[in-house]
């Protein structure tokens, strides 16, 4: 089979304007993946399925990954001009102060596709597509029109991660019930406070149940 | 997305009602005896004919993937038993294989043999029970199912004496297995394997040319190979459609390249072919078992250098998959260098094989829906996770 570099080159030739970036994998499995831009992902996927040499006709696995906003703090030395009284005379002196500077790298949601070829019996080719952020730009193109295997799996990713797949024929919640609001596989998911009835509370659950009951009591007292 | 693009998806056929009488919408399940657990199908019927079918899942959803991201790598092993609770040993293997791939852990030869022996025994008991349930759904109340369960019990006794549990085996470890398979266990396995061909003959005598089974199964629930590949169907369902894809042959994981066995294929892709492929796969599994039980070498059953305490894989990711009895069972792990995975994903074969349930059922009689559903071979523990 072609290497990831060759596939990347083939994609860039076949789909004009498409960008593919190799995401290295540090583990001994060394399965490197290709990061596609969302705008061209559909055309690239179609190329990968129909290309005579690759023929990736089997979409095995679709999943989501949540990457939180990353906050990095670094200590920076900043020089300020400070007015000081030295021997009764006011002078402006440069003073160096150490400040902590916070930079936030915005997080994103990522859809990962594992492709194999049943005809050529090779694989995997791993595709990744990333959303703009984790809140309002969460749309990605659906690959269900290309591989039907994505139908339920993209619904699951929508259900648990909140990625909206545009072009999906039937995008509804699949494992959670329709009225459910949050996305339970997000890294910052907080379980709903519903500990009215907990038959065998212990450890963390016991703490939460007690907190819930205390809150309910104060609410009733008011 | 343009309208024309949407039209290109491999959609289920549109079945028109004949216009006589009203449509009847029924909700089959979640407590229907044929649904193997808690699963619901919203079915619209025109007379006896199915014109719409939407599966509804999630009644057994426990969010295994979230659990996997909060507990340690090894702590997750017993949870994998609870996915497809018929085949806990293959679940264990798939998970162990993925973690071994993630950290580059080698497995001793004896452990590989033990894994093959247990996986093939699991496959036989799964296929036998599946066929039992399938006939149960056609109205054969009990007899074939009890035949299958009688044999399954022999295999489960073996699992119990080896692992301490009939169903929730929790047996594989990263770099080998939990305990060694002693000579007594191996002899017990040889005895079970020696008796199984007689059972399969008896089972086939009872079923293969049975008139009712043929009438209910042939030409019903047909899957075309193109659709099966496109929809990611795996396992006996895919091979019954005539696609030669068995991960034991394709990936040659473990030591499957050492055994000679064949991959049975169907011709029509109907329920009967799925039944037949399962029967033939049991016979092929017996061939593998005979070879494995003959060749199993002495040696360590677990890599003594395998890291157990402070198990922290380097940052990276791995996707491991095996041919589980129901299809391709995969695990996808992303490590960020911590004690638990950053992302833990299970690729469940039962769940994805249900994608084309609607395609198979449309236009068929409502009584056939139950049989078609039974021929998919699902376990809800794995569908809902």
């Amino acid at each position: 089979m072609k290497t990831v570099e060759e596939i990347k080159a083939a994609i860039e030739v076949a789909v004009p304007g498409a960008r593919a970036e190799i995401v290295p994998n540090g583990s001994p499995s060394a399965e490197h993946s290709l990061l596609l831009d969302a705008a061209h992902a559909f055309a690239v996927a179609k190329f990968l399925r129909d290309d005579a040499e690759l023929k990736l006709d089997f979409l095995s696995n679709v999943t989501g990954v949540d990457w939180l906003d990353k906050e990095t703090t670094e200590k920076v030395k900043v020089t300020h001009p400070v007015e000081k009284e030295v021997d009764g005379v006011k002078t402006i002196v440069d003073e160096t102060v150490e400040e902590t500077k916070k930079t936030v790298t915005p997080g994103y949601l990522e859809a990962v596709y594992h492709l194999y070829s049943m005809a050529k019996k090779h694989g995997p080719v791993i595709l990744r597509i990333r959303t703009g952020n984790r809140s309002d730009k969460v749309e990605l193109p659906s690959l269900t029109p290309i591989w039907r295997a994505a139908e339920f799996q993209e619904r699951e990713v929508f259900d648990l991660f909140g990625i909206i797949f545009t072009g999906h024929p039937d995008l509804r919640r699949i494992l959670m019930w329709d009225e459910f609001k949050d996305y339970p596989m997000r890294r910052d998911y907080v379980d709903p406070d519903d500990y009215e009835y907990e038959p065998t509370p212990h450890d963390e659950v016991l703490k939460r149940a007690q907190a819930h009951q205390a809150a309910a009591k104060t609410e009733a007292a008011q | 997305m343009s309208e024309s693009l949407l039209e290109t998806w491999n959609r289920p056929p549109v079945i028109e009602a004949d216009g006589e009488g009203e449509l009847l919408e029924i909700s089959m399940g979640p407590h229907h005896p044929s649904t193997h657990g808690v699963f619901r199908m919203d079915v619209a019927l025109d007379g006896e004919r199915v014109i719409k079918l939407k599966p509804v899942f999630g009644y057994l959803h426990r969010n295994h993937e979230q659990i996997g991201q909060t507990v340690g790598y090894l702590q997750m092993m017993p949870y994998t038993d609870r996915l497809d609770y018929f085949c806990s040993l293959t679940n264990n293997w798939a998970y162990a294989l993925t973690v071994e791939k993630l950290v580059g852990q080698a497995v001793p030869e004896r452990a590989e043999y033990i894994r093959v022996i247990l996986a093939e025994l699991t496959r036989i008991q799964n296929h036998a029970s599946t066929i039992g349930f399938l006939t149960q759904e056609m109205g054969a109340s009990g007899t074939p199912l009890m035949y299958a369960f009688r044999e399954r019990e022999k295999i489960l006794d073996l699992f119990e004496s080896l692992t301490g549990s009939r169903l929730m085996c929790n047996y594989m470890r990263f770099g080998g297995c939990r305990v060694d398979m002693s000579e007594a266990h191996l002899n017990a396995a040889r005895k079970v394997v020696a008796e199984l061909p007689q059972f399969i003959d008896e089972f086939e005598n009872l079923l293969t040319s049975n008139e009712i089974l043929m009438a209910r199964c042939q030409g019903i629930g047909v899957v075309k190979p193109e659709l099966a590949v496109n929809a990611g169907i795996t396992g006996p369902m895919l091979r019954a459609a005539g696609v030669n894809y068995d991960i034991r042959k394709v990936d040659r994981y473990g030591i499957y390249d050492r055994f000679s066995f064949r991959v049975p294929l169907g011709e029509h892709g109907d329920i009967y072919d799925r039944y037949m492929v399962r029967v033939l796969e049991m016979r092929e599994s017996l061939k593998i078992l005979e070879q494995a039980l003959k060749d199993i070498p002495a040696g360590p059953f677990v890599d003594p250098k395998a890291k157990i305490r402070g198990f922290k894989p380097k940052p990276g990711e791995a996707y491991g998959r095996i041919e589980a009895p129901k299809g391709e069972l995969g695990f996808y792990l992303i490590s960020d260098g911590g004690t638990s995975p950053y992302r833990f994903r299970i690729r469940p074969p039962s769940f994805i094989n249900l994608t084309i349930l609607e395609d198979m059922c449309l236009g068929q009689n409502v009584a056939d829906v139950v049989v078609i559903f039974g021929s998919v071979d699902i376990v809800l523990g794995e569908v809902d996770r």
Side-chain angles (χ1 to χ4, degrees):
Chain A
M1 199 185 76
K2 283 182 173 177
T3 60
V4 193
E5 288 81 12
E6 286 165 350
I7 295 172
K8 173 182 146 73
I11 287 172
E12 279 163 355
V13 169
V15 185
R19 276 183 299 115
E21 192 187 311
I22 294 169
V23 183
N25 176 0
S27 95
S29 73
E31 289 168 345
H32 309 297
S33 43
L34 281 168
L35 176 66
L36 304 178
D37 58 320
H40 294 90
F42 191 88
V44 170
K46 200 165 161 38
F47 161 72
L48 292 177
R49 185 192 65 179
D50 297 337
D51 183 55
E53 200 175 328
L54 286 168
K55 239 181 173 354
L56 296 163
D57 50 4
F58 171 42
L59 171 61
S60 166
N61 180 38
V62 182
T63 188
V65 187
D66 183 10
W67 298 97
L68 289 171
D69 299 352
K70 249 192 213 151
E71 204 177 57
T72 42
T73 48
E74 47 177 351
K75 290 199 170 157
V76 196
K77 283 189 177 163
V78 190
T79 327
H80 291 293
V82 183
E83 208 172 274
K84 265 194 176 173
E85 236 182 63
V86 184
D87 304 332
V89 188
K90 280 186 181 175
T91 45
I92 292 172
V93 183
D94 280 348
E95 203 176 57
T96 314
V97 193
E98 211 169 70
E99 280 182 6
T100 44
K101 198 175 146 197
K102 282 182 183 171
T103 41
V104 178
T105 335
Y108 48 83
L109 300 165
E110 189 176 59
V112 185
Y113 295 81
H114 284 82
L115 302 171
Y116 287 85
S117 171
M118 279 194 186
K120 301 255 175 181
K121 303 221 177 356
H122 61 216
V125 173
I126 306 162
L127 305 181
R128 314 180 96 90
I129 321 173
R130 287 175 186 171
T131 61
N133 57 25
R134 298 176 68 251
S135 49
D136 54 349
K137 281 188 225 151
V138 290
E139 271 144 31
L140 288 181
S142 166
L143 301 187
T144 305
I146 297 175
W147 294 285
R148 176 86 186 276
E151 188 187 349
F152 283 2
Q153 300 191 71
E154 282 183 345
R155 269 178 73 182
E156 189 189 317
V157 174
F158 162 72
D159 186 0
L160 304 180
F161 287 90
I163 300 177
I164 295 168
F165 289 96
T166 50
H168 191 286
D170 184 22
L171 196 65
R172 291 177 289 135
R173 283 193 178 269
I174 190 163
L175 293 174
M176 306 302 283
W177 53 103
D178 288 342
E179 295 78 18
F180 193 78
K181 285 280 179 282
D182 210 346
Y183 303 110
M185 278 304 288
R186 293 252 182 126
R187 298 293 292 191
D188 51 1
Y189 173 74
V190 184
D191 335 350
D193 183 26
D194 53 359
Y195 291 91
E196 276 93 10
Y197 175 71
E198 189 59 53
T200 54
H202 55 86
D203 302 345
E204 189 59 29
V205 176
L206 179 63
K207 274 185 215 156
R208 286 186 197 170
Q210 282 167 346
H212 175 88
Q213 262 126 29
K217 234 180 218 171
T218 46
E219 206 171 284
Q222 282 168 3
Chain B
M1 189 93 12
S2 64
E3 196 63 28
S4 60
L5 211 54
L6 246 184
E7 289 306 309
T8 59
W9 80 289
N10 225 325
R11 67 182 329 151
V14 179
I15 308 278
E16 299 288 342
D18 58 8
E20 289 172 30
E22 281 179 27
L23 291 187
L24 179 66
E25 285 204 23
I26 50 172
S27 173
M28 286 176 78
H31 295 291
H32 195 276
S34 77
T35 55
H36 301 234
V38 273
F39 174 82
R40 186 155 71 87
M41 289 173 272
D42 273 342
V43 192
L45 296 178
D46 175 35
E48 288 262 329
R49 233 157 38 102
V50 178
I51 63 166
K52 201 190 91 185
L53 185 145
K54 293 284 172 208
V56 181
F57 319 89
Y59 295 95
L60 212 61
H61 180 52
R62 298 148 286 174
N63 217 344
H64 259 99
E65 298 185 0
Q66 187 70 275
I67 298 171
Q69 289 167 202
T70 50
V71 301
Y73 283 88
L74 188 55
Q75 275 179 301
M76 195 58 204
M77 188 62 84
Y79 282 101
T80 61
D81 294 336
R82 275 88 181 158
L83 291 169
D84 173 358
Y85 40 77
F86 258 73
C87 317
S88 65
L89 284 160
T90 47
N91 298 346
N92 285 177
W93 192 1
Y95 180 54
L97 184 95
T98 313
V99 176
E100 281 154 10
K101 207 171 158 185
L102 185 68
V103 297
Q105 168 76 50
V107 183
E109 211 182 355
R110 186 178 174 85
E112 293 278 25
Y113 271 92
I114 296 174
R115 286 178 178 190
V116 168
I117 291 166
L118 295 175
E120 294 309 321
L121 283 170
T122 304
R123 195 181 315 278
I124 291 172
Q125 57 95 6
N126 176 75
H127 284 354
S129 322
T130 302
I131 295 168
F133 284 124
L134 179 70
T135 52
Q136 178 98 339
E137 268 140 17
M138 283 183 266
S141 5
T143 310
L145 182 62
M146 287 305 122
Y147 275 35
F149 267 37
R150 186 190 65 206
E151 299 307 310
R152 177 170 180 253
E153 209 56 37
K154 290 178 190 164
I155 294 173
L156 293 188
D157 282 348
L158 191 67
F159 289 173
E160 188 180 8
S161 70
L162 178 62
T163 71
S165 180
R166 294 165 72 242
L167 298 171
M168 305 292 138
C169 295
N170 179 21
Y171 180 69
M172 310 277 176
R173 290 291 179 267
F174 312 139
C177 304
R178 180 155 54 90
V179 287
D180 197 4
M181 214 169 165
S182 68
E183 201 52 40
H185 286 128
L186 286 171
N187 283 334
R190 285 183 189 117
K191 190 160 165 280
V192 169
V193 169
E195 284 169 3
L196 276 168
Q198 200 193 341
F199 154 69
I200 301 177
D201 290 343
E202 179 191 54
F203 210 42
E204 274 213 87
N205 261 339
L206 184 67
L207 296 172
T208 301
S209 51
N210 183 296
E211 208 177 323
I212 302 172
L213 188 108
M214 285 160 97
R216 291 296 300 275
C217 292
Q218 289 181 343
I220 307 285
V222 177
V223 182
K224 292 264 177 313
E226 301 78 35
L227 177 67
V229 172
N230 193 255
I233 307 304
T234 43
M237 241 180 112
L238 175 76
R239 292 190 284 276
V243 182
N244 187 353
Y245 196 78
D246 187 322
I247 298 169
R248 290 176 292 175
K249 288 275 188 195
V250 176
D251 279 13
R252 298 169 171 274
Y253 60 92
I255 46 162
Y256 273 113
D257 47 353
R258 297 189 191 178
F259 305 114
S260 83
F261 65 101
R262 293 186 300 168
V263 180
L265 297 178
E267 222 173 276
H268 309 93
D270 56 3
I271 302 175
Y272 193 78
D273 274 8
R274 269 167 240 154
Y275 157 76
M276 218 52 233
V277 163
R278 289 201 174 101
V279 170
L280 293 172
E281 271 189 15
M282 284 199 275
R283 292 193 188 278
E284 296 303 316
S285 287
L286 283 175
K287 275 193 210 163
I288 298 174
L289 278 168
E290 277 162 13
Q291 295 168 51
L293 286 165
K294 194 166 79 105
D295 301 342
I296 182 166
F301 59 93
V302 65
D303 183 355
K305 292 204 182 88
K307 205 166 157 59
I308 297 169
R309 285 176 193 278
F311 188 82
K312 285 182 188 169
K314 276 190 284 179
E317 58 174 61
Y319 179 67
R321 54 177 198 160
I322 66 162
E323 183 72 35
K326 292 176 168 63
E328 174 185 331
L329 176 65
F331 283 85
Y332 175 54
L333 298 172
I334 300 181
S335 165
D336 61 351
T339 50
S340 53
Y342 184 83
R343 178 79 182 98
F344 176 87
R345 153 81 176 162
I346 306 151
R347 188 249 188 234
S350 308
F351 177 66
I352 295 158
N353 286 358
L354 282 175
T355 307
I356 54 166
L357 181 66
E358 184 174 15
D359 301 62
M360 289 192 286
C361 292
L362 287 181
Q364 309 277 2
N365 285 341
V366 64
D368 292 332
V369 170
V370 174
V371 187
I372 292 168
F373 181 69
S375 76
V376 180
D377 185 12
I378 65 154
V379 157
L380 264 299
E382 188 177 65
V383 174
D384 292 342
R385 280 156 292 142

